[in-house]
Amino acid sequence: MERIVPNALKRLEDKSLHLSGLPPVDGPRNVPTMSEFLRQLGYSPFRYELFAGIGLTLWLVSAFLGRPGREAPRRVWESFGLYAVLLLAAMLAFRWPTFFYKPVNPDEGQYIAATITMVDRHVFWWPDTMTSGPVTVAPLALAAAIGLPADFVTARIVGLLFSWGIALCVMQILRHLYGDRLGRLLTVPLAGFLILLEFWDFTPYVSEWCPLFLSALAAALVTTSVASDGRVRPGWRLIAAGLVLGILPFSKLQVAPLGAAIGVWTIAMILAQPSGAARARPLAQLLGATFLALSGMILWLWSSGSGPHFYEAFVRHNLIYAQARALPWTASFGEFRYLADFAWGFALFHQLLWVFLLAGLGMFAWRRIISWRPASLAIGLLIISYYASLAPGRAYPHYLLLVIFPLALATGVFFGGLLEMARARAGVRLVLLGAFAVGPLAWQVGDRVTGDRDVTRLLPDHSPRTAIIGALGRLHETGDTLAVWGWRPEIYVESGLPQATRDSLTERQMSDNPMRDYFRAEFLADVTANRPAFIVDAVGPGGFIYQDRNANGVPSFPALAAYLAREYQAAGEFNGFALYVRRDRWRPETQSLPSSRREPGMSH
């Protein structure tokens, strides 16, 4: 295992950093990297730090102003709405520079490309986003529908809103268990982590944000339906929770076990109610809404003609993907530990919360400080979240996000019980509460301020795609579409051209996997049917992971190469990206495009 884990992380750094255009870091850098990043953007670091500090302070003050006990707030400054607004303001104040990071995780470009295509085709789901489903793309499509641009900034704002929603859902659960003031304070470590977030694989719109929010929302809806005496109140919360659980599998199957655990726990709570409590009605509301959402999504996909493909590309492919682990289970925990240290700020958050969780667990084992009902949900979700993050056996840091909501919830539930037990001893309670609410946040702020993190490598300049985007900008006309062979969905986003193929990247067509022939045939069928104005072979020096064109580029797929030779004209090589133009769109002036040069062996 000692050999496997370093090799896995070597591959991680090679794939996610070097091939994304981020140069390696040679030794520690004792420089204010975020300040330098802001200067490069033309913004004053002093103003940034001033407004971020004010935002953090106002939010933290609001966290201490909740009502003691469970009675409703009576004053404006105690209101949940003001707390939520101040939390969002603090998150925006700290995290807005991350909106302008250069694209690093290609998954983000994939979702934005799908958004551009969905809006262009006026369909709910046609683009294939591999291990993520249509529900992951839907929020970006909604943002585009109300007039926001389909770009990286919008996507990252949507991701921030989801992280904001996760914190609020956790707080609602803890408020329900322990009252308003304690619920706010128990959420401080999680909220602080999300406010200070700057890691390049957490801040993009990655596949975890949407399903994590849906899981947190479902958990908040069902837990607030269970009274302290164990009775489950029927009503809109259970119906809403069922609808959320029904659509959750269509966001990311990797997170579906969290939804299943929430659903099973809720059913158990309904059946375990005290004698005389209604069971049929809440059970019917939960299961009926879940079935309605699940069947509605399936019918919608099938009626649009995407049903068979959805089964093959999403369900079957995901099952194969989950079984084809890149690392054995014996190496997974070492990989998790390495990734946690690799992801800026995560290890500190993770370790601090486990310290408090263990304290609460120890007291629970001794005195059973809280009800078994919330304890069972918290522990179940925590165990499943670690399983979900480790199950693929792949060194992707953004999988760590699957742990943040269940860990924060479990810590809040168990440590909150410890604080409730210490209520009679005001001094002990005050020390415990101060250590929990102030200690982790202070450590996280200190880590953010003093950490050596070369944020300047994420400046949005010197993109290897500049030349190919410029060429497409000069040639495209209204109604044009694009097909990209390779792993560069950013080309769709930066050119604004919709996909002519379901896949915005062709990893499944290039890698050695059991379904490669299926995905190759589908790609060729899409190209033949939709006849895009342009096709780009992104396998080359500027490509992501795949850079050997003979082994993985268009020449490696003879049927596609033959089709291009018949129907398309090679327009040249643009910094490692080969451009093909449909013959009826070829113009003599295309030969004089800037940065274009002929390469031996290209089809004409």
Side-chain angles (χ1 to χ4, degrees):
M1 187 175 83
E2 288 77 8
R3 292 193 302 273
I4 293 173
V5 175
N7 289 339
L9 271 298
K10 175 65 165 62
R11 291 197 302 274
L12 166 72
E13 292 181 297
D14 285 346
K15 293 179 181 180
S16 296
L17 296 178
H18 176 67
L19 293 177
S20 298
L22 299 184
V25 179
D26 299 322
R29 288 168 51 95
N30 295 310
V31 294
T33 51
M34 180 54 80
S35 295
E36 183 59 30
F37 182 89
L38 292 165
R39 290 190 188 97
Q40 294 280 355
L41 292 180
Y43 192 79
S44 164
F46 172 76
R47 287 205 307 272
Y48 168 75
E49 292 162 2
L50 176 65
F51 289 121
I54 291 173
L56 182 67
T57 302
L58 291 176
W59 161 74
L60 191 58
V61 168
S62 72
F64 283 86
L65 290 181
R67 294 286 296 174
R70 291 173 174 79
E71 63 270 24
R74 299 174 184 173
R75 301 175 181 87
V76 172
W77 59 83
E78 296 174 342
S79 70
F80 173 78
L82 179 61
Y83 171 89
V85 169
L86 291 175
L87 174 59
L88 180 59
M91 294 177 73
L92 286 169
F94 267 95
R95 283 175 54 181
W96 71 261
T98 68
F99 298 163
F100 303 100
Y101 282 176
K102 68 192 300 182
V104 177
N105 188 327
D107 292 354
E108 184 182 35
Q110 185 183 18
Y111 306 138
I112 304 171
T115 299
I116 294 170
T117 307
M118 287 166 61
V119 172
D120 179 75
R121 294 176 67 96
H122 303 290
V123 295
F124 167 65
W125 189 76
W126 183 76
D128 186 354
T129 45
M130 297 178 68
T131 59
S132 296
V135 171
T136 299
V137 183
L140 301 184
L142 179 62
I146 63 174
L148 295 175
D151 60 15
F152 293 103
V153 173
T154 298
R156 291 165 190 179
I157 291 173
V158 173
L160 181 146
L161 292 175
F162 277 138
S163 63
W164 174 59
I166 290 167
L168 295 179
C169 288
V170 170
M171 194 185 87
Q172 286 289 63
I173 296 172
L174 298 175
R175 287 175 76 210
H176 175 71
L177 295 174
Y178 301 118
D180 184 59
R181 178 175 295 172
L182 200 52
R184 296 184 187 209
L185 294 175
L186 289 170
T187 315
V188 165
L190 172 64
F193 174 75
L194 295 173
I195 288 170
L196 300 167
L197 206 61
E198 61 173 349
F199 180 48
W200 50 263
D201 210 29
F202 290 171
T203 53
Y205 187 78
V206 290
S207 57
E208 286 74 22
W209 285 126
C210 178
L212 263 184
F213 168 72
L214 293 176
S215 300
L217 178 60
L221 290 167
V222 298
T223 51
T224 53
S225 297
V226 181
S228 58
D229 62 356
R231 294 178 182 272
V232 180
R233 294 186 292 265
W236 67 268
R237 285 186 176 87
L238 288 179
I239 296 172
L243 294 174
V244 172
L245 293 175
I247 67 172
L248 180 61
F250 298 89
S251 60
K252 189 176 179 71
L253 282 181
Q254 188 179 356
V255 186
L258 289 175
I262 294 168
V264 169
W265 179 85
T266 309
I267 293 171
M269 293 303 101
I270 294 172
L271 298 178
Q273 291 182 93
S275 59
R279 290 176 174 81
R281 186 181 174 194
L283 203 59
Q285 288 177 337
L286 178 73
L287 295 179
T290 303
F291 176 78
L292 179 65
L294 190 65
S295 59
M297 290 291 294
I298 293 172
L299 289 173
W300 195 349
L301 289 168
W302 234 267
S303 65
S304 67
S306 296
H309 172 79
F310 182 82
Y311 170 76
E312 292 289 337
F314 186 66
V315 179
R316 186 178 166 216
H317 170 70
N318 266 291
L319 294 175
I320 293 172
Y321 179 82
Q323 295 169 5
R325 292 177 52 83
L327 287 173
W329 273 103
T330 53
S332 292
F333 293 99
E335 175 198 15
F336 185 94
R337 186 171 62 251
Y338 193 109
L339 286 174
D341 291 334
F342 182 79
W344 305 341
F346 180 84
L348 180 63
F349 166 78
H350 186 257
Q351 293 162 7
L352 288 171
L353 259 65
W354 262 105
V355 169
F356 291 104
L357 176 57
L358 289 174
L361 282 170
M363 191 58 64
F364 178 77
W366 181 34
R367 298 281 297 273
R368 211 179 113 171
I369 52 179
I370 57 172
S371 167
W372 64 270
R373 294 178 179 86
S376 60
L377 177 64
I379 290 299
L381 290 179
L382 183 60
I383 294 171
I384 291 171
S385 70
Y386 279 101
Y387 169 78
S389 66
L390 296 173
R394 289 169 172 82
Y396 298 150
H398 55 88
Y399 286 172
L400 298 175
L401 289 173
L402 296 175
V403 174
I404 62 169
F405 144 60
L407 178 58
L409 176 62
T411 305
V413 166
F414 283 94
F415 198 77
L418 179 57
L419 290 170
E420 286 280 88
M421 189 195 70
R423 183 184 294 275
R425 299 183 177 182
V428 174
R429 178 182 168 91
L430 184 61
V431 170
L432 290 173
L433 191 55
F436 185 85
V438 178
L441 182 63
W443 275 95
Q444 290 181 86
V445 171
D447 177 69
R448 168 71 185 261
V449 171
T450 61
D452 285 329
R453 294 157 185 169
D454 193 4
V455 182
T456 55
R457 292 183 297 154
L458 297 161
L459 285 166
D461 57 0
H462 310 302
S463 170
R465 300 177 296 277
T466 300
I468 188 66
I469 299 303
L472 291 170
R474 290 175 175 83
L475 294 174
H476 90 273
E477 299 174 1
T478 302
D480 282 346
T481 58
L482 169 69
V484 175
W485 180 271
W487 203 331
R488 274 302 179 201
E490 299 92 340
I491 296 175
Y492 293 103
V493 183
E494 292 161 353
S495 69
L497 291 169
Q499 301 168 209
T501 60
R502 284 185 180 270
D503 290 294
S504 62
L505 58 92
T506 59
E507 190 273 338
R508 296 181 295 191
Q509 288 84 350
M510 297 183 295
S511 66
D512 185 13
N513 68 87
M515 296 186 67
R516 184 172 71 172
D517 290 342
Y518 170 84
F519 289 115
R520 283 192 167 190
E522 180 193 65
F523 186 90
L524 183 59
D526 285 343
V527 168
T528 305
N530 297 320
R531 301 185 73 243
F534 315 106
I535 296 177
V536 173
D537 189 347
V539 176
F544 180 77
I545 297 181
Y546 296 95
Q547 298 185 312
D548 186 339
R549 186 165 294 164
N550 289 328
N552 303 111
V554 168
S556 69
F557 185 11
L560 178 62
Y563 179 78
L564 290 186
R566 293 194 308 270
E567 303 292 334
Y568 286 78
Q569 181 75 30
E573 188 85 8
F574 297 82
N575 198 18
F577 298 91
L579 175 62
Y580 298 85
V581 180
R582 202 174 63 220
R583 289 189 181 276
D584 64 307
R585 291 289 306 279
W586 179 261
R587 301 290 184 269
E589 57 269 21
T590 306
Q591 300 182 32
S592 60
L593 282 171
S595 303
S596 175
R597 62 184 180 86
R598 300 290 174 185
E599 292 274 330
M602 292 183 65
S603 301
H604 291 273

